């Protein structure tokens, strides 16, 4: 079960809504959904949480590229919405480097399909456990990197992480209204 919320920062304060994620298949789709929730240059945050396993915060400022933070990348990698957030950039991968390592048939250079160690596709082994992304994406809004990381580490996720983030940003009441 997922929880998701859009929080748009306006001149009048924060406004929250519950997004329909049914048609979201890519980070671009999610970014467009966030931009539609606010005015041109407003900051919009997307909160996503999956059953206390992981949470993600996506920050969209106008037409700039989205900034992403995920509390536990390995847990998010096992989730359809988490996979959307774990882009090559967030994972620190260069897509061109990956193309050099794996042939189109899924085997590493020099291997054949009969090889027992042929690459069978993506694996969670390449996704680190723990927090990943821009740990400072909320600093100018009122939450320090240290506070954000404290909500993410070793079993610290209690289901109230997004509420604590909203409290630090001064928008807990609007987030609670969409829960």
């Amino acid at each position: 079960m997922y929880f998701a919320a859009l929080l748009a920062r306006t001149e009048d304060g924060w406004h929250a809504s519950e997004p329909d994620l049914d048609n979201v298949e890519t980070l671009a789709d999610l970014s467009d959904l966030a931009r539609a929730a606010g005015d041109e240059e407003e900051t919009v945050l997307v909160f996503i949480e999956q059953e206390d396993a992981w949470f993600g915060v996506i920050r969209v400022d106008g037409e700039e590229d989205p900034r992403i933070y995920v509390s536990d990348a390995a847990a998010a990698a096992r989730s359809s919405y988490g996979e959307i957030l774990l882009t090559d950039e967030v994972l620190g991968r260069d897509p061109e480097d990956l193309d050099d390592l794996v042939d189109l048939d899924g085997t590493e250079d020099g291997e054949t399909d009969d090889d027992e160690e042929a690459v069978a596709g993506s694996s969670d082994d390449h996704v680190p456990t723990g927090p990943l992304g821009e740990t400072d994406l909320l600093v100018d809004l009122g939450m320090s990197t240290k506070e954000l990381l404290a909500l993410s580490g070793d079993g610290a996720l209690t289901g109230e992480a997004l509420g604590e983030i909203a409290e630090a940003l001064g928008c807990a009441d609007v987030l609670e209204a969409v829960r």
Side-chain angles (χ1 to χ4, degrees), residues 3 14 17 19-21 29 42 45 48 65 68 72 81 87 90 108 114 132 140 148 150 163 168 172:
F3 168 76
W14 289 95
S17 60
D20 179 6
L21 299 179
D29 293 342
E42 290 178 343
L45 301 176
I48 298 177
D65 288 340
I68 301 166
D72 186 337
Y81 292 121
T87 64
V90 170
E108 291 184 22
D114 297 333
L132 191 64
D140 65 323
L148 183 60

Side-chain angles (χ1 to χ4, degrees), residues 54-55 69-76 86 127-133 149 152-154:
W54 66 274
F55 70 87
Y69 175 79
V70 177
S71 66
D72 186 337
L86 297 175
V127 178
T129 300
L132 191 64
L149 288 171
S152 305
D154 299 328

